[in-house]
């Protein structure tokens, strides 16, 4: 449970940084749409999708490291057993 909270917090912070980096103020409002409501909808939906993507990425990364750890443990077990016989 704690790991999920940490992942969700990291995802939210990374998404916030992404939104701030894409904010039109930094681009002299070149991409500012005519409708302010649609712009806010775009920001909110993009932020929520970014949270999901970062959260899924962190979960996949954790699984990858667990598989690597299991493969290394299995490799060292076979090496020590093979050397003893």
């Amino acid at each position: 449970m704690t790991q999920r909270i940490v992942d969700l917090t990291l995802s939210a912070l990374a998404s916030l940084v992404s939104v701030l980096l894409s904010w039109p103020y930094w681009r002299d409002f070149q991409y500012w749409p005519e409708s302010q409501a649609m712009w806010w909808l775009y920001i909110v939906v993009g932020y929520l999708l970014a949270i999901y993507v970062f959260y899924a990425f962190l979960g996949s990364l954790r699984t990858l490291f667990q598989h690597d750890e299991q493969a290394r443990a299995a490799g060292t077990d076979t090496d020590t057993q093979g050397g003893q016989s």
Side-chain angles (χ1 to χ4, degrees), residues 53-82:
V53 168
F54 278 116
Y55 188 77
F57 173 73
L58 290 174
S60 299
L61 192 63
R62 181 169 302 102
T63 302
L64 180 68
F65 282 129
Q66 286 174 350
H67 286 192
D68 184 52
E69 183 180 318
Q70 290 172 354
R72 287 179 188 227
T76 56
D77 289 344
T78 57
D79 290 342
T80 56
Q81 291 175 359

Side-chain angles (χ1 to χ4, degrees), residues 7-84:
D7 286 351
L8 192 58
T9 303
L10 286 175
S11 299
L13 288 175
S15 298
L16 180 64
V17 169
S18 299
V19 167
L20 291 177
L21 286 174
S22 67
W23 195 256
Y25 175 75
W26 304 116
R27 301 171 192 251
D28 296 327
F29 295 101
Q30 293 173 355
Y31 300 111
W32 195 263
E34 293 181 21
S35 170
Q36 295 288 329
M38 289 307 293
W39 174 252
W40 286 113
L41 179 66
Y42 169 78
I43 290 290
V44 169
V45 170
Y47 179 72
L48 294 175
L49 285 174
I51 289 174
Y52 173 74
V53 168
F54 278 116
Y55 188 77
F57 173 73
L58 290 174
S60 299
L61 192 63
R62 181 169 302 102
T63 302
L64 180 68
F65 282 129
Q66 286 174 350
H67 286 192
D68 184 52
E69 183 180 318
Q70 290 172 354
R72 287 179 188 227
T76 56
D77 289 344
T78 57
D79 290 342
T80 56
Q81 291 175 359
Q84 292 176 354

